[in-house]
Amino acid sequence: MKIEDKIEKQMRRLLKNTIILNRKFLDDEQLDRREQFRVLKEIFDVDVRDREIKELSGHFAPLLRNDHPIHLSLLGKTGTGKTVTMLYFLNMLQALCGKKKILMEYIHLDLSTPKPCFRALNDLACLLDAAKRYKKGISLDELMAKIEERLRDQQGYFILFIDEIDHVRRDLDSFLKFLVKRLPQTTPLKIVIVFTSNRLNWQENIDPRVKSFLKVNEILFDPYNAVDLRKILSIRIKKALNRKMLRRGVLEKIAAISSRTHGDARKAVELLTKSAHIAERDGTAITLVVVEVALHEIERDKYVAMIKSAPKQLQAALYAIIALSSHSARPLHIGDCNRGYRSFCAKVKLRSLTQRAFSDLVSELDIYGFIQVRIVSQGRYGRRREITVNLPADISDKLKKVVLMEFDLDPG
């Protein structure tokens, strides 16, 4: 059979077995803001994230009596709906303030890509039409002045929603000082800042003087449970898939696996999407077996996702161990790994921990499955720990590149 005929036959078979009817509802990045809000309304209408919505309502209720709420920090693991919930709530709050004749504006500053203080403030200035993107030759103080000038004549409430605040890589203290202390003194606006972070301890590394005037209320977003995930997945299935090709128990299985392992709605939708792709490719319905195959394929990349959200010290320890193991066929010793870790910390200007603290990092990496630690007896010379990396070479290489990018280094 000619290659043209093979391609046509394959495409006809895939079209005959169409499962995904509307792909954009399986990927929020393909939806415009209005469509996203319509999907979110359906999700919130069935009481998903009901507690968090109530807490947000309570926090911002003072706006309706012309009072000034304190700043807010939304904490929780990735995929727990912090960003989408906040954006939906702010959109509703803006409409409510409009009805009450209350002046209110909000800006979403997305810091999902790590960047220094200047870049973060420049992004904010661009959102406010106060500056051009990354204009060369401008100082940080001049950039701050442009933001102040843009807001100086405005009245009412200004809510600044900063997504992934811990991604301000350099000079976070100056970033917070300007927004929390200097800006409110130079503009008549009542400024409320909303931070989100996947790290519960993001405030621990800021200057104590900054922390003293940073008054923040915290709302913790718990991982989704199986009931919530079933509701979310049901809405996605209704909008995106051919439900006739979904076999009994698939929805419940995906929700149960996702709630048990991570509670991440994005990953649950990813597993559903992967299952649909595999079923289409193989010309079958989405069955429990197909879900298992999809789960296996997704788990190959879970190490990369995990290390991306890990603390810097853990990333540095993993990089040092993987780098050493690539040049040694024998198991590594804890002392060699510690020296490699200290060398990497010096290179990236990260404060290295004590040997005992490094030993705890090694144990943590062992728990997560990145490495394997074995206690070896040396008789009268005591015992020592031997460290091996049993990850496939392609995953190890990918992890090294990810860590280097997290430290703003060229992975080569």
Side-chain angles (χ1 to χ4, degrees):
M1 184 183 291
K2 293 181 179 180
I3 185 63
E4 295 90 341
D5 296 332
K6 285 182 180 180
I7 292 173
E8 184 179 356
K9 184 179 178 181
Q10 175 70 7
M11 293 178 72
R12 285 183 181 278
R13 186 171 66 82
L14 290 173
L15 289 172
K16 188 177 179 181
N17 190 56
T18 300
I19 295 174
I20 302 176
L21 303 178
N22 198 336
R23 295 177 186 273
K24 67 180 183 179
F25 284 103
L26 294 174
D27 183 4
D28 283 345
E29 298 301 320
Q30 296 185 31
L31 298 174
D32 62 35
R33 187 66 75 199
R34 187 174 297 177
E35 288 175 320
Q36 286 183 9
F37 286 159
R38 277 201 292 264
V39 173
L40 288 171
K41 184 179 187 308
E42 290 188 47
I43 292 173
F44 294 141
D45 281 347
V46 291
D47 296 333
V48 175
R49 286 288 174 242
D50 190 50
R51 175 186 65 81
E52 289 80 1
I53 291 289
K54 285 180 180 177
E55 290 193 40
L56 287 172
S57 301
H59 182 85
F60 285 99
L63 264 73
L64 302 183
R65 62 170 182 264
N66 202 32
D67 204 348
H68 194 166
I70 63 172
H71 306 304
L72 181 64
S73 179
L74 308 182
L75 305 172
K77 292 172 60 179
T78 181
T80 52
K82 301 183 297 295
T83 300
V84 292
T85 301
M86 194 66 228
L87 286 174
Y88 181 83
F89 181 84
L90 288 174
N91 190 61
M92 295 297 101
L93 181 63
Q94 190 172 48
L96 182 59
C97 287
K99 290 179 183 178
K100 302 283 186 180
K101 307 298 182 185
I102 298 171
L103 295 175
M104 185 279 240
E105 178 188 0
Y106 75 88
I107 290 288
H108 178 212
L109 179 60
D110 184 3
L111 300 181
S112 52
T113 302
K115 55 193 68 180
C117 171
F118 182 89
R119 286 286 183 96
L121 285 178
N122 191 242
D123 284 353
L124 175 59
C126 292
L127 290 171
L128 294 169
D129 293 325
K132 294 181 180 179
R133 188 164 297 277
Y134 309 138
K135 183 179 179 181
K136 293 182 179 180
I138 185 174
S139 67
L140 181 61
D141 195 60
E142 188 178 348
L143 180 61
M144 292 176 176
K146 285 182 176 291
I147 295 173
E148 290 172 330
E149 184 180 352
R150 169 66 177 80
L151 297 175
R152 189 164 289 137
D153 297 328
Q154 291 190 229
Q155 301 289 331
Y157 292 94
F158 178 67
I159 300 175
L160 176 57
F161 177 27
I162 304 176
D163 219 351
E164 308 288 0
I165 179 63
D166 51 291
H167 278 180
V168 179
R169 289 297 192 216
R170 293 196 295 273
D171 215 2
L172 177 59
D173 294 331
S174 295
F175 183 74
L176 292 173
K177 274 181 190 176
F178 171 69
L179 294 176
V180 178
K181 193 170 185 179
R182 174 174 159 177
L183 191 58
Q185 294 174 351
T186 56
T187 174
L189 284 168
K190 294 177 181 177
I191 299 174
V192 182
I193 304 176
V194 180
F195 306 98
T196 73
S197 177
N198 300 328
R199 297 172 182 171
L200 302 181
N201 63 344
W202 72 267
Q203 295 185 56
E204 288 185 5
N205 295 324
I206 62 178
D207 190 291
R209 290 167 295 183
V210 177
K211 195 183 295 186
S212 67
F213 60 72
L214 182 61
K215 303 294 186 293
V216 179
N217 185 23
E218 293 182 348
I219 296 179
L220 180 63
F221 279 62
D222 296 322
Y224 289 106
N225 57 38
V227 175
D228 286 340
L229 288 172
R230 278 204 302 271
K231 292 175 181 177
I232 293 169
L233 291 171
S234 295
I235 292 169
R236 299 288 183 170
I237 290 169
K238 181 178 68 175
K239 290 183 173 295
L241 302 184
N242 179 358
R243 283 178 281 180
K244 293 179 181 178
M245 301 299 290
L246 196 75
R247 294 295 179 256
R248 178 180 291 182
V250 167
L251 171 61
E252 290 75 15
K253 183 179 181 68
I254 293 175
I257 290 172
S258 301
S259 65
R260 187 170 63 246
T261 55
H262 47 69
D264 186 328
R266 280 197 292 266
K267 290 182 179 179
V269 174
E270 181 188 3
L271 179 54
L272 174 66
T273 306
K274 191 74 171 178
S275 302
H277 279 303
I278 292 172
E280 275 191 339
R281 182 191 66 198
D282 296 343
T284 67
I286 305 176
T287 64
L288 298 177
V289 174
V290 169
V291 173
E292 288 291 343
V293 174
L295 183 63
H296 177 71
E297 291 190 11
I298 289 173
E299 283 187 341
R300 288 185 304 191
D301 291 332
K302 72 179 181 181
Y303 293 106
V304 172
M306 189 180 296
I307 203 63
K308 271 188 174 181
S309 60
K312 289 296 178 193
Q313 296 289 353
L314 200 67
Q315 292 176 347
L318 178 64
Y319 181 88
I321 293 171
I322 291 177
L324 285 171
S325 69
S326 64
H327 297 99
S328 174
R330 298 180 179 180
L332 303 172
H333 299 155
I334 190 79
D336 297 329
C337 294
N338 187 36
R339 283 190 289 274
Y341 157 77
R342 289 178 177 277
S343 175
F344 181 74
C345 286
K347 179 180 178 181
V348 298
K349 295 181 173 54
L350 179 71
R351 182 180 61 85
S352 59
L353 302 178
T354 63
Q355 183 161 346
R356 182 169 182 175
F358 175 76
S359 182
D360 291 337
L361 293 178
V362 170
S363 299
E364 193 172 347
L365 290 170
D366 182 33
I367 291 171
Y368 290 149
F370 288 104
I371 62 175
Q372 286 187 338
V373 179
R374 190 165 66 98
I375 307 296
V376 179
S377 175
Q378 294 183 294
R380 68 187 218 177
Y381 296 103
R383 297 183 300 173
R384 71 180 182 190
R385 291 199 290 177
E386 290 186 345
I387 301 168
T388 54
V389 180
N390 292 330
L391 295 172
D394 59 330
I395 294 179
S396 294
D397 291 341
K398 200 169 185 179
L399 287 172
K400 286 200 296 183
K401 289 179 180 178
V402 166
V403 172
L404 289 174
M405 289 174 68
E406 288 291 307
F407 282 98
D408 298 327
L409 296 176
D410 183 7

